[in-house]
Amino acid sequence: MSQVIAITNQKGGVGKTTTSVNLAAALAANGHPTLLIDMDPQANAASGLGIQPAPGSSLYPVMIGEKNIHDQIQQTNYENLYHIPAEVDMAGCEIEIAREPDPIRKLQQILEPLRNQQELEYIFLDCPPSVGILMTNSLAAADGLIIPVQCEFYALEGISKILDLIQKMKDQGINPDLRIIGVLMTMFDSRTRLSQQVVQELQEHLPDQTFNTIIPRSIRVSEAPSFGQPISDYDPKGVGAAAYRELAREFLERV
């Protein structure tokens, strides 16, 4: 049975898409069939995998009942790695789904047929950086969460907001079994005292929920999407690729 993992933080620029693409690629390279679904209308995940999405290839037609989810799954250039891209039209889901009888569980219902397929082990949801219909649907559908956090001054404030949202969804019975797989520290710069302080504070406040793996700030990781490659292909011997391989190993231990 497939596990659904949402990669989320309501704050933008923390490395959600970078983490989604590179963790999915690392798992696929280790023989774990993985589907990455881009839930963000900005549609950046496709470019990180070298895909040029065609109009109507996103989850949007599925969400409004016009297509079947199996028809939207694309094979990438990488073995065991599949993708459903996003498109700007995804923003229309905010209006369309709001008219549904149970709008917050729409994605959960759509993903149900994929959960029971032996072909997939993991389904990753690259969430938008806003608390709207698409994010709440992702949280309602997920078994677990990965929360990327940039090593900056407001990191803990952002974490507290997403933790409050998760608790509300549990308290309201929307997804009572939702769990945090890990908080992932990203863009770590060992030269700055601030990065080190953020790591220390997160490890003190969330000792059991913080990944031991830390993703360093890396120019090569930032460059990789412009070449349509995950970091494991673009710079396989670099520190970024090594960090995401280590994250994949730790992720497998936690799930």
Side-chain angles (χ1 to χ4, degrees):
M1 186 172 181
S2 304
Q3 291 194 58
V4 178
I5 313 296
I7 299 181
T8 186
N9 190 325
Q10 84 285 351
K11 193 174 185 301
V14 299
K16 288 189 299 296
T17 298
T18 300
T19 298
S20 300
V21 168
N22 289 304
L23 177 55
L27 290 168
N30 281 328
H32 301 280
T34 302
L35 169 64
L36 172 58
I37 302 177
D38 193 350
M39 298 297 297
D40 188 349
Q42 296 179 82
N44 291 325
S47 58
L49 293 170
I51 294 172
Q52 184 63 44
S57 61
S58 74
L59 205 65
Y60 177 64
V62 184
M63 297 283 274
I64 62 175
E66 292 182 353
K67 287 188 178 181
N68 186 292
I69 191 168
H70 294 90
D71 298 331
Q72 305 300 86
I73 298 174
Q74 300 182 25
Q75 170 71 62
T76 68
N77 294 324
Y78 305 95
E79 188 177 1
N80 294 317
L81 183 56
Y82 306 89
H83 183 48
I84 298 178
E87 56 186 330
V88 176
D89 286 353
M90 289 282 287
C93 287
E94 300 285 338
I95 300 171
E96 297 281 353
I97 300 176
R99 302 169 182 166
E100 298 275 340
D102 191 8
I104 205 164
R105 291 186 174 89
K106 182 68 176 180
L107 181 60
Q108 184 183 74
Q109 297 162 7
I110 288 171
L111 294 180
E112 200 58 38
L114 296 182
R115 282 180 172 276
N116 301 316
Q117 286 190 343
Q118 298 298 321
E119 291 84 356
L120 291 172
E121 287 188 40
Y122 302 108
I123 300 170
F124 283 99
L125 307 175
D126 181 18
C127 299
S130 60
V131 183
I133 287 287
L134 293 174
M135 180 194 271
T136 53
N137 259 259
S138 298
L139 296 183
D143 299 301
L145 304 179
I146 294 174
I147 307 173
V149 177
Q150 186 178 354
C151 292
E152 62 168 22
F153 183 73
Y154 292 109
L156 283 175
E157 182 180 328
I159 278 287
S160 65
K161 290 180 180 178
I162 192 72
L163 292 179
D164 287 345
L165 177 59
I166 293 165
Q167 193 58 51
K168 285 179 182 176
M169 297 194 76
K170 288 184 173 184
D171 293 343
Q172 293 172 11
I174 296 168
N175 190 352
D177 298 323
L178 182 62
R179 68 187 184 95
I180 298 174
I181 294 170
V183 175
L184 176 66
M185 289 167 284
T186 65
M187 305 179 203
F188 175 78
D189 188 343
S190 60
R191 299 169 299 178
T192 68
R193 183 177 298 177
L194 177 59
S195 281
Q196 295 170 357
Q197 288 176 337
V198 170
V199 169
Q200 184 178 354
E201 287 184 12
L202 281 171
Q203 289 174 338
E204 287 177 357
H205 284 81
L206 301 165
D208 298 326
Q209 295 173 316
T210 302
F211 280 111
N212 295 318
T213 305
I214 299 174
I215 307 300
R217 186 178 292 278
S218 165
I219 293 174
R220 303 292 277 175
V221 171
S222 300
E223 290 174 345
S226 64
F227 289 86
Q229 296 177 318
I231 191 61
S232 55
D233 258 38
Y234 181 67
D235 186 28
K237 295 183 179 179
V239 294
Y244 279 106
R245 285 193 295 269
E246 180 61 22
L247 176 62
R249 182 197 62 76
E250 189 176 358
F251 168 83
L252 291 170
E253 288 181 353
R254 288 180 175 238
V255 298

